[in-house]
Amino acid sequence: MYEGIKGFRDFYPGEMQARRWAMDTVEGTARRYGFREVGTPALEPTEMYVDKSGEEIVDELYAFTDRGGREVALTPELTPTVARMVVARQQALSKPIKWYSTRPFWRYEEPQQGRFREFYQTNVDIFGSADPAADAEVLAVAAESLTGLGLTGEDFEFRVSHRDILGGLLAAFDAEVDTAAAIRAVDKREKIGAAEYHDLLAEAGLTYDQAAEFDDLLDTPEDDLDELVAFAGTERVEAAVSNLASVLDAAADFGAREYCTLSLDTARGLDYYTGVVFECFDSTGEVSRSVFGGGRYDDLIEGFGGQPTPAVGVAPGYATLSLLCQRAGVWPEETLSTDYYVLRVGDTRPVAARIARQLRDRGHVVETDVAGRSFGAQLDYADSINAETVVIVGERDLEDDAVTVKDMGSGDQVQVPVDDFPGDRERPTYGDFA
RNA sequence: UCCGGGCUGGGGUAGUGGUAUCCUUCAGCCUUGUGGGGGCUGAGACGUGGGUUCGAUUCCCGCGCCCGGACCCA
């Protein structure tokens, strides 16, 4: 017996079926918006992440030297990879570029609730449009994915913010502010006490009075965003506020507005965000954990050596998503489903095989005996895989040129002429013959 | 990396310084033809290494994995 690797999980058929449904739901939504699937490598040059995030990042990577002496790392996220792909074919790709991808990623972290060392995400990104409609479309894909899973506005909310509002306000203070540090503090605002929060802002360069004032500004309600513009008096904040309003306006037309709330203290830790940022929160849970997030990152492509290219994206992760669905009671039962079990007794394989093949041709899930088991054992098995209908192909039935069709829910069964099954029927069940 | 809790057949459990209970599951049979009822038979466990001990699943320590939290969060 071997133990698995810490933070890496196995998914057995029942759970995998539920995950497949969730992934299909999210991907199907993206596809209907015209996002195209891309495939990407599991390994990238370690340098790619170091250049983007600094040397410390290596501690959180699965990084090693390969046999050719290359420094490589298991991908901890998709964004650098798709950025690399966009840069590589920048001239050839028609804009906007709309891509999606579902894959595992790896980070060397301590596992916790909803967090593992290997985790799966669907990334949905648009490159080449700075229009607020692009931000709103990403929000719409995210919202429609969640409602497609059966979730409602009661279950989740998108807390929407804007990097330039935060950055612009900080810049408007008469102080030397470490913007990144201040934004990290904002991101923690809800998790830590007011005193500690103000301490962090002070460390970032604000005075305590300024910190308090900044704190008040973050609570500005949606309808009064003009007050922020008035406070800062800068074009930057004015443009950011106007951009945020435009995104929310487009989101309204796209049916996503009702899921969005203004939340200026939603910052996201990532440094590369430049405009609208948002996080999906569980609104039912007492611990409001972030389920996933997204936002605009207009400078990254240029930073990777490409033409300046605006970009916006979101990346739902399935660990937290399944927790959200379970809390909301919409996670499917993790049991197998089977349309037909063709039960074989005696030397009846040719007929049984013919029936099984015809049912499979119609697209059904059909099992038949591959273990040479007894009648009772086959029925037991059919029950264990939740077969809806059992078709008994037995020697006795065949003597009457018949098969027996049995409904496993009720136990009712009926003999049917063997040549009449399945006949022209798409999905014959007991009810069609009773 | 740190902190707290945990680890007994596949799953869930009882218990003990002298190797283990029960439920469930699985396989077979009763029943070459009826599962979701019953009976019988069988399979299957003390996470791992070390220490203490005549003897450790039990007590102690390390490690591993799991659950939760901190840090970090791309």
Side-chain angles (χ1 to χ4, degrees):
Chain A
M1 272 290 281
Y2 296 103
E3 260 178 359
I5 302 294
K6 181 177 183 173
F8 287 64
R9 293 169 298 161
D10 302 316
F11 302 104
Y12 288 86
E15 186 180 6
M16 196 60 213
Q17 182 175 269
R19 283 165 50 83
R20 170 56 56 204
W21 163 79
M23 291 177 186
D24 286 349
T25 301
V26 174
E27 290 191 332
T29 303
R31 268 198 300 275
R32 286 193 297 279
Y33 277 79
F35 287 83
R36 316 295 169 168
E37 186 171 26
V38 292
T40 54
L43 288 178
E44 292 280 8
T46 304
E47 187 186 17
M48 201 161 89
Y49 303 105
V50 174
D51 287 351
K52 190 181 131 262
S53 309
E55 197 68 46
E56 323 80 58
I57 197 74
V58 177
D59 292 338
E60 289 166 18
L61 294 176
Y62 279 92
F64 59 96
T65 307
D66 77 5
R67 312 247 274 180
R70 286 170 282 263
E71 296 298 328
V72 298
L74 284 168
T75 56
E77 57 166 327
L78 189 68
T79 305
T81 297
V82 286
R84 179 177 62 67
M85 288 170 70
V86 166
V87 170
R89 297 262 178 106
Q90 190 141 40
Q91 303 295 323
L93 297 164
S94 65
K95 316 293 182 306
I97 298 160
K98 297 177 31 168
W99 287 347
Y100 79 88
S101 157
T102 301
R103 283 193 20 179
F105 296 95
W106 302 270
R107 292 178 193 171
Y108 195 85
E109 297 182 298
E110 287 311 303
Q112 286 173 41
Q113 184 175 59
R115 177 193 264 192
F116 301 90
R117 289 186 172 179
E118 178 178 65
F119 56 96
Y120 290 73
Q121 290 185 168
T122 295
N123 283 257
V124 177
D125 292 285
I126 301 178
F127 300 91
S129 170
D131 195 287
D135 306 63
E137 183 165 278
V138 165
L139 280 167
V141 169
E144 206 172 308
S145 294
L146 299 192
T147 55
L149 293 170
L151 298 165
T152 71
E154 300 288 293
D155 303 313
F156 69 90
E157 63 175 356
F158 294 156
R159 297 187 188 166
V160 183
S161 182
H162 197 291
R163 267 298 165 84
D164 269 344
I165 294 181
L166 289 177
L169 288 175
L170 287 166
F173 283 100
D174 182 24
E176 188 108 339
V177 182
D178 179 343
T179 308
I183 285 177
R184 273 196 298 276
V186 169
D187 201 36
K188 289 180 183 167
R189 187 193 189 202
E190 282 214 350
K191 292 177 74 174
I192 62 183
E196 194 181 343
Y197 172 53
H198 287 164
D199 286 345
L200 283 173
L201 287 177
E203 282 171 32
L206 292 175
T207 68
Y208 278 85
D209 285 346
Q210 288 171 329
E213 190 174 11
F214 180 62
D215 199 20
D216 285 342
L217 288 169
L218 294 187
D219 286 327
T220 303
E222 218 167 305
D223 296 333
D224 301 330
L225 287 178
D226 287 345
E227 289 177 14
L228 298 180
V229 178
F231 168 84
T234 60
E235 262 182 42
R236 183 180 175 194
V237 171
E238 186 178 357
V241 166
S242 147
N243 176 249
L244 178 57
S246 299
V247 169
L248 292 176
D249 196 43
D253 289 340
F254 298 169
R257 181 64 182 84
E258 60 183 293
Y259 306 106
C260 300
T261 46
L262 178 73
S263 173
L264 293 179
D265 58 357
T266 294
R268 303 227 76 202
L270 196 50
D271 290 337
Y272 60 60
Y273 286 114
T274 55
V276 165
V277 293
F278 63 93
E279 282 192 79
C280 174
F281 272 80
D282 173 1
S283 33
T284 61
E286 58 294 337
V287 187
S288 290
R289 270 182 175 275
S290 170
V291 179
F292 60 81
R296 181 164 278 286
Y297 50 102
D298 286 344
D299 299 335
L300 189 66
I301 298 294
E302 191 176 5
F304 269 53
Q307 299 292 312
T309 303
V312 60
V314 64
Y318 291 92
T320 45
L321 208 49
S322 81
L323 283 175
L324 180 62
C325 287
Q326 281 161 17
R327 281 180 208 162
V330 299
W331 192 247
E333 285 220 32
E334 296 183 349
T335 53
L336 301 183
S337 59
T338 308
D339 298 317
Y340 294 94
Y341 183 86
V342 179
L343 194 155
R344 210 144 50 71
V345 184
D347 188 17
T348 63
R349 197 168 71 191
V351 176
R354 186 217 90 207
I355 289 172
R357 288 167 65 182
Q358 286 181 316
L359 291 171
R360 288 180 186 130
D361 284 347
R362 288 161 172 71
H364 303 310
V365 176
V366 183
E367 282 210 59
T368 189
D369 182 51
V370 289
R373 290 208 268 211
S374 71
F375 190 103
Q378 286 188 63
L379 212 49
D380 216 355
Y381 179 73
D383 198 41
S384 77
I385 60 174
N386 297 309
E388 189 180 323
T389 299
V390 168
V391 182
I392 300 169
V393 185
E395 290 173 322
R396 288 187 205 165
D397 297 273
L398 291 185
E399 281 169 18
D400 303 332
D401 292 318
V403 294
T404 297
V405 177
K406 180 182 183 68
D407 181 86
M408 288 298 277
S410 63
D412 297 335
Q413 60 185 49
V414 61
Q415 274 208 324
V416 176
V418 64
D419 295 333
D420 197 29
F421 192 92
D424 297 330
R425 298 172 190 80
E426 266 310 303
R427 200 169 199 291
T429 59
Y430 168 80
D432 295 323
F433 305 100

